[in-house]
Amino acid sequence: MRRGEQQMKKAALKLPPLNLSKHKILNVSFLTGAKYWHQTIFCAYTLAHFSDGEIGIRLYSDGTLTDEQIGFINQVLPGIETISEQQVLQHLNLVLPQHTFPTLRHLRNWHPFFRRLIDIHTSPSWAIHMDSDMIFFGKPNQIIEAYQRKTAVYMKEQLASSYFVDSEDTLRDKYGINCIKSVNGGIVAYNNDKVDYADLEEKAKLLLQHYPQAGPAQVEQTLMSYMLHHQNAAALDEKSYSIFYDDKPDLSRPDIVRHYIFKAKLPYLTSEWKKVIL
């Protein structure tokens, strides 16, 4: 896997530049960093290719992204937009000031997971974030339609249980937190303008008070699913927007995108990226 990933980094820098069009049919955001910049290149590059370059790409740092790595991505995808830490903090001081939203600001400092929730999804209007460990093999029409209609969508988790701080029934009945089941954070989109941040602050505070042992991934998943429930989010077609968990997945399927997690990192880092011959 280490050898495969080193080869992937070298290959990412050799991809021919793909110019992004001024006409945008979709705007996407990535949270990336020193460990993931090459994965971001492959995900964004394949998405742009199958969308005829008609996408906008925003990069947010997880706190580790360097200027050199931003340059690597910009070399392959000229025209990307990088949102600096200073820009993020200036925006948050306006929309989520520390004295009014101490819990949400705390979450952002607690773990990079929350930068997806806080940094990306407090920008105006509809926003989508994508994990970097994905490769596109077709045009994501369902996502493009959601963008045009400003409707919420998410990648559907295929394992049996959701990764919340507690059961869905307890969260609903005891704390008034309704969640959509089986949300995978690989692709999540919703209309930021419809989020009640005062309510989100209250719900985040409740979770931290009553579930002090919960990890950041569980808290973020719970809050993200809560917001998706409020916006009647629809699941992306799981047969086309696929999640691979095993080291020997079925790779003969006509997927639009593949998200590689757990043991599927092995084929992702050793062979799947090599299919990107455009």
Side-chain angles (χ1 to χ4, degrees):
M1 284 177 64
R2 284 194 294 269
R3 284 197 303 271
E5 187 161 24
Q6 287 303 315
Q7 292 173 359
M8 185 182 184
K9 288 180 179 179
K10 293 178 181 178
L13 298 177
K14 294 180 180 178
L15 290 168
L18 197 164
N19 291 309
L20 302 178
S21 170
K22 292 182 180 179
H23 178 250
K24 312 296 185 188
I25 59 173
L26 178 66
N27 285 289
V28 300
S29 296
F30 291 91
L31 178 69
T32 189
K35 293 183 178 180
Y36 311 109
W37 62 267
H38 54 298
Q39 298 181 19
T40 303
I41 286 178
F42 271 89
C43 184
Y45 192 92
T46 52
L47 171 62
H49 169 76
F50 286 108
S51 303
D52 300 317
E54 296 182 330
I55 64 168
I57 298 172
R58 282 185 171 182
L59 297 182
Y60 291 79
S61 174
D62 64 4
T64 65
L65 191 65
T66 67
D67 289 342
E68 181 182 35
Q69 290 156 356
I70 292 171
F72 291 158
I73 302 172
N74 200 51
Q75 171 185 318
V76 178
L77 290 161
I80 61 168
E81 182 183 5
T82 304
I83 309 301
S84 70
E85 182 81 355
Q86 183 180 10
Q87 287 174 290
V88 169
L89 292 176
Q90 286 176 345
H91 177 67
L92 292 181
N93 287 337
L94 291 174
V95 300
L96 294 179
Q98 177 74 37
H99 64 277
T100 308
F101 300 96
T103 310
L104 293 178
R105 294 298 291 267
H106 162 72
L107 292 180
R108 182 182 184 272
N109 296 328
W110 181 23
H111 196 280
F113 274 139
F114 294 101
R115 293 194 178 210
R116 299 189 301 188
L117 179 71
I118 305 297
D119 294 12
I120 295 174
H121 285 284
T122 54
S123 61
S125 193
W126 188 92
I128 183 168
H129 74 250
M130 294 185 177
D131 282 353
S132 293
D133 52 354
M134 304 193 297
I135 296 176
F136 280 82
F137 294 91
K139 188 173 183 178
N141 289 315
Q142 191 176 0
I143 294 175
I144 294 168
E145 290 172 7
Y147 171 72
Q148 293 170 345
R149 297 176 182 176
K150 301 294 183 287
T151 56
V153 293
Y154 62 93
M155 179 171 262
K156 187 175 182 180
E157 180 65 60
Q158 293 161 35
L159 297 181
S161 59
S162 296
Y163 196 57
F164 300 145
V165 299
D166 206 334
S167 70
E168 289 92 344
D169 291 345
T170 299
L171 288 169
R172 180 189 65 241
D173 299 338
K174 197 170 183 179
Y175 303 110
I177 299 176
N178 291 284
C179 294
I180 285 184
K181 297 181 180 180
S182 304
V183 173
N184 181 279
I187 300 175
V188 169
Y190 54 85
N191 192 338
N192 302 336
D193 294 336
K194 293 183 178 180
V195 177
D196 181 344
Y197 287 102
D199 176 61
L200 191 63
E201 170 74 14
E202 179 189 340
K203 296 300 189 290
K205 186 177 180 180
L206 277 173
L207 294 181
L208 294 187
Q209 286 177 340
H210 294 282
Y211 299 96
Q213 304 305 317
Q218 292 172 292
V219 175
E220 191 240 15
Q221 181 86 331
T222 304
L223 292 175
M224 195 77 77
S225 299
Y226 172 66
M227 286 184 289
L228 289 169
H229 181 275
H230 265 261
Q231 297 195 21
N232 298 313
L236 295 168
D237 178 11
E238 60 189 288
K239 294 181 180 178
S240 299
Y241 298 81
S242 305
I243 305 171
F244 290 164
Y245 305 88
D246 303 320
D247 55 359
K248 294 181 180 179
D250 178 8
L251 301 175
S252 64
R253 298 160 36 169
D255 302 296
I256 289 174
V257 67
R258 294 174 177 173
H259 186 196
Y260 309 89
I261 62 177
F262 303 151
K263 292 183 179 181
K265 295 291 187 191
L266 178 61
Y268 169 59
L269 294 172
T270 58
S271 58
E272 280 288 273
W273 64 265
K274 294 178 182 178
K275 297 177 180 177
V276 181
I277 302 173
L278 305 173

